[in-house]
Amino acid sequence: DMGGHDTYMHKEIHEQADAVDRALRGRIDDRFSTVHLGGLNLDARDARAVRRVKILGCGTSYHAGQIGAQMIEELARIPADAEPASEFRYRNPVVDPDTLYIAVSQSGETYDVLAAVQELKRKGARVLGLVNVVGSAIARETDGGIYVHAGPEVCVVSTKCFTNMVVAFGLFALHLGRTRDLSVADGKRIIEGLRKLPAQIEEILANEAQIEKLAAEYADAKSMMFIGRVRGYPVAREASLKLKEVSYIHAEAYPASELKHGPLALIEPAMPTVAIVPDDDLLEKNRAALEEIKARSGRILAVAHREQEKADHTIVVPKNEDELDPILMGIPLQLFAYYTAKAMGRDIDKPRNLAKSVTVE
Ligand code: M6R
Protein backbone atom coordinates (compact mmCIF):
# COMPACT_ATOMS: atom_id res chain seq x y z
CA ASP A 1 0.00 0.00 0.00
CA MET A 2 1.54 3.25 -1.11
CA GLY A 3 -0.82 5.43 0.91
CA GLY A 4 -1.35 8.09 -1.75
CA HIS A 5 2.27 8.19 -2.97
CA ASP A 6 3.06 7.33 -6.60
CA THR A 7 6.03 5.14 -5.70
CA TYR A 8 7.54 3.45 -2.66
CA MET A 9 10.57 5.69 -3.06
CA HIS A 10 8.44 8.78 -2.53
CA LYS A 11 6.59 7.14 0.35
CA GLU A 12 9.79 6.03 2.06
CA ILE A 13 11.43 9.44 1.69
CA HIS A 14 8.41 10.88 3.49
CA GLU A 15 8.56 8.29 6.27
CA GLN A 16 11.95 9.47 7.48
CA ALA A 17 10.89 11.71 10.34
CA ASP A 18 8.87 8.85 11.85
CA ALA A 19 11.63 6.35 11.16
CA VAL A 20 14.25 8.47 12.93
CA ASP A 21 11.89 8.98 15.82
CA ARG A 22 11.61 5.18 16.08
CA ALA A 23 15.40 4.78 16.05
CA LEU A 24 15.69 7.13 19.02
CA ARG A 25 12.74 5.90 21.03
CA GLY A 26 13.59 4.27 24.35
CA ARG A 27 17.33 4.57 23.76
CA ILE A 28 18.26 7.95 25.22
CA ASP A 29 19.49 8.12 28.80
CA ASP A 30 19.37 11.77 29.88
CA ARG A 31 20.69 11.04 33.33
CA PHE A 32 24.12 10.06 32.00
CA SER A 33 23.91 11.88 28.65
CA THR A 34 24.32 8.62 26.78
CA VAL A 35 22.22 5.98 25.06
CA HIS A 36 21.24 2.39 25.83
CA LEU A 37 21.50 -0.05 22.98
CA GLY A 38 19.79 -3.26 24.05
CA GLY A 39 21.33 -5.97 21.90
CA LEU A 40 24.85 -4.61 21.69
CA ASN A 41 26.42 -7.28 23.86
CA LEU A 42 29.43 -5.07 24.55
CA ASP A 43 29.97 -4.01 28.16
CA ALA A 44 31.89 -0.92 29.23
CA ARG A 45 35.10 -2.93 29.64
CA ASP A 46 34.76 -4.37 26.11
CA ALA A 47 34.00 -0.92 24.75
CA ARG A 48 37.12 0.50 26.41
CA ALA A 49 39.26 -2.27 24.95
CA VAL A 50 38.39 -1.41 21.35
CA ARG A 51 41.45 0.02 19.58
CA ARG A 52 39.99 0.35 16.09
CA VAL A 53 36.65 0.11 14.35
CA LYS A 54 36.24 -1.35 10.88
CA ILE A 55 32.87 -0.98 9.17
CA LEU A 56 31.81 -3.23 6.29
CA GLY A 57 28.84 -2.88 3.96
CA CYS A 58 27.91 -2.53 0.30
CA GLY A 59 26.42 0.30 -1.75
CA THR A 60 24.37 2.69 0.32
CA SER A 61 25.13 0.78 3.52
CA TYR A 62 28.85 1.29 2.85
CA HIS A 63 28.24 5.03 2.51
CA ALA A 64 26.31 5.05 5.79
CA GLY A 65 29.33 3.25 7.26
CA GLN A 66 31.68 5.97 6.00
CA ILE A 67 29.68 8.58 7.87
CA GLY A 68 29.52 6.24 10.87
CA ALA A 69 33.31 5.88 10.90
CA GLN A 70 33.71 9.65 10.98
CA MET A 71 31.21 9.93 13.83
CA ILE A 72 33.08 7.28 15.82
CA GLU A 73 36.38 9.09 15.29
CA GLU A 74 34.90 12.44 16.21
CA LEU A 75 32.87 11.43 19.26
CA ALA A 76 34.87 8.50 20.62
CA ARG A 77 38.32 9.32 19.18
CA ILE A 78 38.79 5.71 18.10
CA PRO A 79 40.40 5.24 14.67
CA ALA A 80 37.63 4.01 12.37
CA ASP A 81 37.11 3.43 8.69
CA ALA A 82 34.66 1.81 6.31
CA GLU A 83 35.36 -0.52 3.41
CA PRO A 84 33.12 -2.28 0.89
CA ALA A 85 32.50 -5.75 2.33
CA SER A 86 32.85 -7.11 -1.19
CA GLU A 87 36.48 -5.92 -1.36
CA PHE A 88 37.37 -6.80 2.20
CA ARG A 89 36.46 -10.46 1.86
CA TYR A 90 38.66 -11.02 -1.18
CA ARG A 91 41.86 -9.39 0.01
CA ASN A 92 42.86 -11.72 2.83
CA PRO A 93 42.51 -8.93 5.41
CA VAL A 94 44.61 -8.79 8.56
CA VAL A 95 42.12 -9.54 11.31
CA ASP A 96 43.06 -7.90 14.55
CA PRO A 97 41.60 -8.99 17.92
CA ASP A 98 41.48 -5.39 19.22
CA THR A 99 39.41 -4.21 16.29
CA LEU A 100 35.66 -4.07 16.52
CA TYR A 101 34.03 -4.99 13.20
CA ILE A 102 30.58 -3.71 12.26
CA ALA A 103 28.58 -5.23 9.40
CA VAL A 104 25.98 -2.82 7.97
CA SER A 105 23.02 -4.03 5.94
CA GLN A 106 19.41 -3.12 5.31
CA SER A 107 18.30 -6.60 4.28
CA GLY A 108 20.74 -8.49 6.48
CA GLU A 109 21.04 -10.93 3.58
CA THR A 110 23.65 -9.36 1.27
CA TYR A 111 25.98 -12.21 0.42
CA ASP A 112 29.21 -10.20 0.31
CA VAL A 113 28.53 -8.83 3.79
CA LEU A 114 27.49 -12.21 5.18
CA ALA A 115 30.61 -13.85 3.74
CA ALA A 116 32.80 -11.14 5.32
CA VAL A 117 31.10 -11.74 8.69
CA GLN A 118 31.64 -15.49 8.44
CA GLU A 119 35.31 -15.05 7.56
CA LEU A 120 35.76 -12.67 10.50
CA LYS A 121 34.02 -15.03 12.92
CA ARG A 122 36.17 -17.90 11.75
CA LYS A 123 39.21 -15.82 12.63
CA GLY A 124 37.89 -15.05 16.10
CA ALA A 125 36.96 -11.39 15.57
CA ARG A 126 34.18 -9.59 17.40
CA VAL A 127 31.54 -8.54 14.87
CA LEU A 128 28.48 -6.40 15.50
CA GLY A 129 25.59 -5.92 13.09
CA LEU A 130 23.89 -2.67 12.18
CA VAL A 131 20.93 -4.18 10.42
CA ASN A 132 17.37 -3.23 9.51
CA VAL A 133 15.62 -6.57 8.99
CA VAL A 134 15.11 -8.25 12.37
CA GLY A 135 16.23 -11.88 12.52
CA SER A 136 17.98 -11.73 9.13
CA ALA A 137 21.09 -13.83 8.40
CA ILE A 138 23.58 -11.08 9.31
CA ALA A 139 21.64 -10.23 12.46
CA ARG A 140 21.84 -13.89 13.47
CA GLU A 141 25.52 -14.42 12.66
CA THR A 142 26.87 -11.38 14.49
CA ASP A 143 27.77 -11.26 18.20
CA GLY A 144 25.29 -8.46 18.86
CA GLY A 145 24.26 -5.25 17.29
CA ILE A 146 22.00 -2.32 16.77
CA TYR A 147 18.73 -2.54 14.94
CA VAL A 148 18.16 0.34 12.55
CA HIS A 149 14.35 0.41 12.99
CA ALA A 150 13.65 2.04 9.63
CA GLY A 151 10.64 -0.25 9.08
CA PRO A 152 10.14 -2.16 5.82
CA GLU A 153 11.87 -0.63 2.79
CA VAL A 154 10.40 -1.78 -0.53
CA CYS A 155 11.99 0.49 -3.15
CA VAL A 156 15.21 -1.01 -4.54
CA VAL A 157 16.79 2.39 -3.99
CA SER A 158 17.49 2.85 -0.31
CA THR A 159 16.50 6.16 1.31
CA LYS A 160 14.96 5.97 4.76
CA CYS A 161 17.14 3.06 5.74
CA PHE A 162 20.27 5.06 4.92
CA THR A 163 19.12 7.92 7.14
CA ASN A 164 18.30 5.58 10.01
CA MET A 165 21.62 3.77 9.65
CA VAL A 166 23.46 7.04 10.06
CA VAL A 167 21.32 7.87 13.10
CA ALA A 168 22.11 4.43 14.54
CA PHE A 169 25.82 5.13 14.02
CA GLY A 170 25.36 8.45 15.79
CA LEU A 171 23.86 6.61 18.77
CA PHE A 172 26.65 4.08 18.78
CA ALA A 173 29.36 6.75 18.49
CA LEU A 174 27.80 8.65 21.38
CA HIS A 175 27.68 5.47 23.45
CA LEU A 176 31.33 4.64 22.71
CA GLY A 177 32.31 8.26 23.32
CA ARG A 178 30.63 8.31 26.72
CA THR A 179 32.55 5.19 27.82
CA ARG A 180 35.69 7.23 27.00
CA ASP A 181 36.45 10.94 26.87
CA LEU A 182 33.28 12.52 25.54
CA SER A 183 32.11 14.89 28.28
CA VAL A 184 28.64 14.98 29.81
CA ALA A 185 28.17 18.40 28.19
CA ASP A 186 29.10 17.10 24.74
CA GLY A 187 26.92 14.04 25.25
CA LYS A 188 24.03 16.35 26.08
CA ARG A 189 24.75 18.50 23.03
CA ILE A 190 24.61 15.42 20.75
CA ILE A 191 21.41 14.17 22.38
CA GLU A 192 19.77 17.54 21.84
CA GLY A 193 20.88 17.42 18.22
CA LEU A 194 19.45 13.93 17.76
CA ARG A 195 16.11 15.02 19.24
CA LYS A 196 15.86 17.86 16.72
CA LEU A 197 16.20 15.56 13.71
CA PRO A 198 12.59 14.52 13.09
CA ALA A 199 11.30 18.12 12.99
CA GLN A 200 14.24 19.17 10.81
CA ILE A 201 13.51 16.34 8.38
CA GLU A 202 9.91 17.58 8.10
CA GLU A 203 11.30 21.03 7.37
CA ILE A 204 13.44 19.68 4.52
CA LEU A 205 10.55 17.71 3.04
CA ALA A 206 8.31 20.78 3.19
CA ASN A 207 10.69 22.28 0.63
CA GLU A 208 9.79 19.61 -1.92
CA ALA A 209 8.38 22.04 -4.53
CA GLN A 210 11.70 23.88 -4.81
CA ILE A 211 13.57 20.60 -5.26
CA GLU A 212 11.13 19.44 -7.95
CA LYS A 213 11.80 22.66 -9.88
CA LEU A 214 15.55 22.26 -9.51
CA ALA A 215 15.39 18.69 -10.78
CA ALA A 216 13.72 19.98 -13.96
CA GLU A 217 16.44 22.63 -14.26
CA TYR A 218 19.27 20.07 -14.20
CA ALA A 219 17.60 17.12 -15.95
CA ASP A 220 19.32 17.95 -19.26
CA ALA A 221 22.73 17.07 -17.80
CA LYS A 222 24.46 14.05 -19.31
CA SER A 223 26.69 13.81 -16.30
CA MET A 224 26.92 15.43 -12.89
CA MET A 225 29.70 15.98 -10.37
CA PHE A 226 29.02 15.64 -6.64
CA ILE A 227 31.51 17.13 -4.22
CA GLY A 228 31.91 17.35 -0.47
CA ARG A 229 34.70 17.56 2.04
CA VAL A 230 35.26 15.32 5.08
CA ARG A 231 31.72 15.06 6.58
CA GLY A 232 30.22 16.09 3.26
CA TYR A 233 32.13 13.62 1.10
CA PRO A 234 30.17 10.43 1.92
CA VAL A 235 26.99 12.51 1.56
CA ALA A 236 28.14 13.42 -1.96
CA ARG A 237 28.92 9.78 -2.74
CA GLU A 238 25.51 8.61 -1.59
CA ALA A 239 23.71 11.37 -3.51
CA SER A 240 25.66 10.46 -6.63
CA LEU A 241 24.71 6.78 -6.24
CA LYS A 242 21.02 7.74 -5.79
CA LEU A 243 21.01 9.78 -9.00
CA LYS A 244 22.76 7.04 -11.01
CA GLU A 245 20.53 4.24 -9.77
CA VAL A 246 17.21 5.88 -10.31
CA SER A 247 17.71 8.29 -13.25
CA TYR A 248 20.61 6.53 -15.08
CA ILE A 249 22.38 9.90 -15.37
CA HIS A 250 26.09 9.42 -14.99
CA ALA A 251 27.40 10.96 -11.80
CA GLU A 252 30.77 11.12 -10.12
CA ALA A 253 31.52 11.91 -6.51
CA TYR A 254 34.80 13.50 -5.50
CA PRO A 255 36.22 15.07 -2.37
CA ALA A 256 36.13 18.82 -3.07
CA SER A 257 39.81 18.90 -2.13
CA GLU A 258 40.68 16.55 -5.00
CA LEU A 259 39.07 18.62 -7.77
CA LYS A 260 42.27 20.39 -8.71
CA HIS A 261 44.12 17.09 -8.92
CA GLY A 262 42.23 16.07 -12.05
CA PRO A 263 38.44 16.19 -12.24
CA LEU A 264 38.43 19.97 -12.64
CA ALA A 265 39.25 19.20 -16.28
CA LEU A 266 35.68 17.91 -16.68
CA ILE A 267 34.01 21.12 -15.52
CA GLU A 268 32.12 23.04 -18.21
CA PRO A 269 28.52 24.26 -18.55
CA ALA A 270 27.21 20.79 -19.53
CA MET A 271 28.66 19.20 -16.36
CA PRO A 272 26.85 20.67 -13.35
CA THR A 273 28.14 20.20 -9.82
CA VAL A 274 26.16 19.43 -6.71
CA ALA A 275 28.14 20.68 -3.71
CA ILE A 276 27.63 19.81 -0.06
CA VAL A 277 28.48 22.98 1.87
CA PRO A 278 27.86 22.74 5.61
CA ASP A 279 28.41 25.69 7.94
CA ASP A 280 31.33 24.10 9.74
CA ASP A 281 35.04 24.79 10.04
CA LEU A 282 35.54 23.88 6.37
CA LEU A 283 33.05 26.40 4.99
CA GLU A 284 35.68 28.75 3.57
CA LYS A 285 37.53 25.87 1.92
CA ASN A 286 34.29 24.71 0.31
CA ARG A 287 33.54 28.21 -0.91
CA ALA A 288 36.94 28.32 -2.57
CA ALA A 289 36.06 25.13 -4.46
CA LEU A 290 32.81 26.73 -5.65
CA GLU A 291 34.83 29.67 -6.95
CA GLU A 292 37.12 27.36 -8.89
CA ILE A 293 34.11 25.72 -10.51
CA LYS A 294 32.48 29.06 -11.33
CA ALA A 295 35.71 30.25 -12.94
CA ARG A 296 35.31 27.30 -15.39
CA SER A 297 31.67 28.22 -16.11
CA GLY A 298 30.32 25.24 -14.21
CA ARG A 299 26.73 25.34 -12.96
CA ILE A 300 26.45 24.76 -9.21
CA LEU A 301 23.65 23.48 -7.04
CA ALA A 302 24.63 23.79 -3.37
CA VAL A 303 23.13 22.02 -0.39
CA ALA A 304 24.02 24.32 2.47
CA HIS A 305 22.92 25.88 5.73
CA ARG A 306 22.55 29.27 4.07
CA GLU A 307 22.35 30.72 0.57
CA GLN A 308 25.68 30.37 -1.29
CA GLU A 309 26.53 33.35 -3.52
CA LYS A 310 28.81 31.38 -5.80
CA ALA A 311 26.17 28.76 -6.48
CA ASP A 312 23.47 29.10 -9.14
CA HIS A 313 20.98 27.56 -6.74
CA THR A 314 21.03 26.67 -3.06
CA ILE A 315 18.88 24.19 -1.19
CA VAL A 316 18.97 25.44 2.39
CA VAL A 317 18.76 22.76 5.07
CA PRO A 318 18.46 23.27 8.83
CA LYS A 319 21.69 23.26 10.84
CA ASN A 320 22.23 20.62 13.52
CA GLU A 321 25.39 19.85 15.50
CA ASP A 322 28.39 19.65 13.12
CA GLU A 323 28.82 15.90 13.73
CA LEU A 324 25.17 15.21 12.88
CA ASP A 325 24.85 17.44 9.79
CA PRO A 326 25.52 14.55 7.37
CA ILE A 327 22.26 12.91 8.50
CA LEU A 328 20.24 15.75 7.01
CA MET A 329 22.23 17.04 4.05
CA GLY A 330 21.55 14.08 1.77
CA ILE A 331 17.78 14.12 2.21
CA PRO A 332 16.99 16.88 -0.34
CA LEU A 333 19.16 15.00 -2.83
CA GLN A 334 17.02 11.88 -2.45
CA LEU A 335 14.12 14.02 -3.64
CA PHE A 336 16.33 15.52 -6.34
CA ALA A 337 17.10 12.01 -7.68
CA TYR A 338 13.44 11.03 -7.41
CA TYR A 339 12.16 14.06 -9.36
CA THR A 340 14.87 13.75 -11.99
CA ALA A 341 13.95 10.10 -12.56
CA LYS A 342 10.26 10.95 -12.60
CA ALA A 343 10.75 13.65 -15.24
CA MET A 344 12.61 11.07 -17.32
CA GLY A 345 9.88 8.45 -16.93
CA ARG A 346 12.10 5.92 -15.17
CA ASP A 347 10.90 2.82 -13.33
CA ILE A 348 11.64 4.42 -9.96
CA ASP A 349 10.97 1.54 -7.58
CA LYS A 350 12.69 -1.04 -9.79
CA PRO A 351 15.62 0.43 -11.68
CA ARG A 352 16.93 -1.73 -14.52
CA ASN A 353 19.54 -4.40 -13.69
CA LEU A 354 19.15 -4.06 -9.90
CA ALA A 355 17.64 -6.20 -7.12
CA LYS A 356 16.64 -5.12 -3.61
CA SER A 357 19.04 -7.51 -2.02
CA VAL A 358 22.00 -9.13 -3.66
CA THR A 359 22.08 -12.59 -2.12
CA VAL A 360 24.48 -14.11 -4.67
CA GLU A 361 28.24 -13.74 -5.28
O1 M6R B 1 20.58 -4.82 2.04
P1 M6R B 1 21.91 -4.14 2.03
O2 M6R B 1 21.93 -2.87 2.80
O3 M6R B 1 23.04 -5.04 2.47
O4 M6R B 1 22.19 -3.77 0.51
C1 M6R B 1 23.41 -3.22 0.11
C2 M6R B 1 23.32 -2.62 -1.28
O5 M6R B 1 23.05 -3.61 -2.24
C3 M6R B 1 22.27 -1.52 -1.37
O6 M6R B 1 22.49 -0.49 -0.43
C4 M6R B 1 22.23 -0.88 -2.77
O7 M6R B 1 23.39 -0.13 -3.01
C5 M6R B 1 20.96 -0.04 -2.94
N1 M6R B 1 20.36 -0.29 -4.21
C6 M6R B 1 21.22 1.44 -2.77
O8 M6R B 1 20.14 2.25 -3.07
Side-chain angles (χ1 to χ4, degrees), residues 180-234:
R180 298 179 174 236
D181 299 322
L182 191 75
S183 68
V184 172
D186 272 327
K188 196 158 175 268
R189 178 175 69 77
I190 297 298
I191 287 173
E192 278 165 12
L194 289 166
R195 284 207 170 106
K196 279 188 206 151
L197 289 170
Q200 291 183 319
I201 292 173
E202 294 295 9
E203 219 180 294
I204 292 169
L205 298 178
N207 199 17
E208 185 159 3
Q210 183 208 4
I211 301 167
E212 181 173 8
K213 270 204 215 110
L214 287 172
E217 186 105 17
Y218 288 87
D220 62 328
K222 291 273 168 298
S223 183
M224 289 185 88
M225 181 71 82
F226 286 76
I227 60 167
R229 202 182 287 262
V230 190
R231 298 187 191 105
Y233 175 50

Side-chain angles (χ1 to χ4, degrees), residues 58-61 104-110 113 156-158 165 238 241-242 245 354-358:
C58 295
T60 286
S61 298
V104 194
S105 177
Q106 187 288 127
S107 59
E109 305 290 342
T110 300
V113 184
V156 166
V157 178
S158 180
M165 281 173 173
E238 173 56 12
L241 175 64
K242 285 302 76 116
E245 281 190 294
L354 300 178
K356 181 66 181 160
S357 58
V358 185

Side-chain angles (χ1 to χ4, degrees), residues 24-64:
L24 301 179
R25 206 173 303 152
R27 285 171 160 176
I28 292 174
D29 172 358
D30 285 301
R31 195 153 87 95
F32 294 105
S33 296
T34 187
V35 289
H36 285 302
L37 297 166
L40 208 52
N41 213 6
L42 189 80
D43 66 23
R45 222 173 265 265
D46 297 333
R48 292 288 316 212
V50 173
R51 304 287 288 272
R52 266 187 172 279
V53 178
K54 178 78 164 179
I55 301 168
L56 302 166
C58 295
T60 286
S61 298
Y62 161 56
H63 295 153

Side-chain angles (χ1 to χ4, degrees), residues 278-330:
D279 253 14
D280 60 14
D281 51 345
L282 295 170
L283 180 61
E284 288 316 313
K285 289 270 167 209
N286 282 321
R287 283 198 172 140
L290 300 190
E291 251 167 74
E292 284 174 20
I293 294 166
K294 261 291 108 185
R296 275 90 186 167
S297 322
R299 279 190 290 166
I300 303 172
L301 168 58
V303 177
H305 293 123
R306 57 178 126 144
E307 216 57 50
Q308 294 301 309
E309 279 167 35
K310 292 286 163 202
D312 298 274
H313 305 96
T314 307
I315 300 172
V316 176
V317 296
K319 178 85 184 88
N320 198 296
E321 296 303 320
D322 290 353
E323 299 91 333
L324 303 180
D325 282 333
I327 300 171
L328 295 172
M329 297 196 87

